[in-house]
């Protein structure tokens, strides 16, 4: 696979989002199958694996740690801190106090079976802790050799700038796709100026931009989409107009809708590395195939018109989760 550079970190042009192997899209698949799947992804040239302390919680880091232990030196593991948990391991809110960051990192290192985390993101900005303190704590962890690179997630431009002044930020991970283009307004220009890479999460719009979600799709137990305003029945029916337009481009080019969605992201900037999540090998192959899809200027213009003319209905998160976004 071709590589791209986030800040000064070289990774495969597409990474693999691992969250769905532990949560958010229904029942957890069998552990053994996911371990084999993760190793198959390495065989196919994927070098960036995205996890977080909160995925599971804890289950996802353990899975990724076990699967990648034999190939640890060949891959880049990205994980995230920033949530608090109760005694039962349930998430209770955000926390980025320096002592919680240090404790989270020790837990992540243990579960990931590694001596150093390649890329450590703050998962959500904590409004109660000045970002300089957060960046300072990560800087110390880098100096101690426990972490190599600092990242942020869903952080606003002002916060990114303040953090970057204390500890250079390697990558920002926030939602970005044909379904959610807000980062283009202020985030992407700032990242370009500062030399920070961008890792779009939910690059397939949580499966929406693959054509596999229809107006009749029922989201079952444990599927986060059942709680997301954009996937509520009426909003979803309206939003599918966007998929119809992307499908036209895909059909003309003889590729899939998901491949167009990912190729569109790759075409935006050379320092963008999407991390589509999947648990199926044929879908992984399809998603990686997007790196070979060349969108012409006309294709890109058509997609631009499609995604700006179709008004997306519904917020991307429920209100409580929306409040955690730093703007
Ligand atoms: N920083 C953050 O706050 C944050 C938030 C959300 C996600 N993330 C990260 O970003 C990664 C990706 O985001 P995401 O999982 O939310 O959304 P996504 O990658 O846009 O979509 C994942 C969904 O699409 C399906 N899918 C994947 N490839 C497909 C294909 N070729 N054809 C049809 N369906 C396909 C998956 O199902 P199957 O698994 O069944 O294939 C899953 O339901 C996560 O794994 C996580 O690591 C980070």
């Amino acid at each position: 696979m071709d590589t791209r550079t986030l800040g000064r970190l070289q990774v495969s042009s597409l990474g693999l989002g691992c969250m769905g192997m532990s949560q958010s899209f229904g029942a957890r698949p069998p552990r053994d199958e996911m371990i084999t799947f993760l190793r198959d992804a390495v065989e196919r040239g994927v070098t960036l694996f995205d996890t977080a302390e909160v995925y599971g919680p804890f289950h996802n880091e353990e899975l990724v740690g076990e699967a990648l232990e034999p190939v640890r030196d060949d891959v880049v593991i990205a994980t995230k801190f920033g949530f608090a948990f109760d005694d039962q391991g349930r998430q209770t809110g955000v926390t980025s106090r320096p002592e919680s960051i240090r404790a989270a990192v020790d837990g992540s290192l243990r579960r990931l079976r590694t001596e150093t985390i390649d890329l450590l993101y703050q998962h959500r900005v904590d409004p109660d802790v000045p970002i300089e303190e957060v960046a300072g704590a990560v800087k110390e962890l880098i100096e101690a050799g426990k972490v190599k690179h600092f990242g942020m997630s869903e952080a606003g431009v002002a916060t990114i700038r303040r953090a970057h002044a204390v500890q250079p930020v390697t990558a920002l991970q926030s939602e970005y796709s044909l379904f959610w283009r807000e980062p283009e307004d202020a985030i992407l220009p700032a990242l370009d100026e500062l030399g920070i890479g961008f890792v779009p999460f939910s690059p397939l719009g949580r499966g929406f931009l693959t054509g596999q979600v229809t107006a009749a799709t029922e989201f079952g137990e444990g599927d986060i989409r059942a709680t997301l305003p954009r996937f509520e029945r009426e909003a979803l029916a309206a939003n599918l107009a966007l998929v119809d337009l992307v499908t036209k481009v895909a059909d003309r080019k003889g590729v899939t809708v998901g491949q167009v969605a990912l190729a569109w992201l790759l075409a935006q900037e050379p320092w963008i590395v999407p991390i589509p999540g999947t648990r199926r090998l044929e879908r992984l192959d399809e998603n990686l195939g997007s790196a070979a899809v060349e969108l012409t200027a006309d294709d890109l213009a058509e997609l631009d018109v499609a995604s700006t003319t179709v008004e997306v209905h519904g917020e991307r998160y429920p209100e409580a989760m929306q409040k955690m976004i730093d703007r």
Side-chain angles (χ1 to χ4, degrees), residues 144-163:
K146 292 185 177 188
V147 172
K148 285 192 181 148
H149 294 268
F150 178 31
M152 304 177 83
S153 179
E154 291 291 351
V157 170
T159 313
I160 295 168
R161 286 187 188 281
R162 284 167 54 201

Side-chain angles (χ1 to χ4, degrees), residues 16-21 24-25 50-52 55 60 80 83 121 123-124 153-154 173-175 200-208 210-212 223-225 256 258-259 262 275-280 282-284 286-287 317:
L16 178 60
C18 300
M19 179 184 74
M21 299 171 200
S24 298
F25 296 110
D50 190 76
T51 182
Y55 297 162
N60 201 245
K80 316 180 192 80
F83 287 105
Y121 295 101
H123 210 149
R124 287 291 180 272
S153 179
E154 291 291 351
Q173 179 179 130
S174 294
E175 183 163 354
F201 76 68
S202 302
L204 293 168
R206 299 188 165 84
F208 175 77
T210 65
Q212 300 290 318
D223 193 320
I224 189 176
R225 293 171 293 190
T256 68
Q259 285 178 326
L262 295 172
I275 46 165
T278 184
R279 301 159 295 184
R280 303 195 207 177
E282 71 276 12
R283 288 182 170 180
L284 176 69
E286 178 189 330
N287 297 346
Y317 281 122

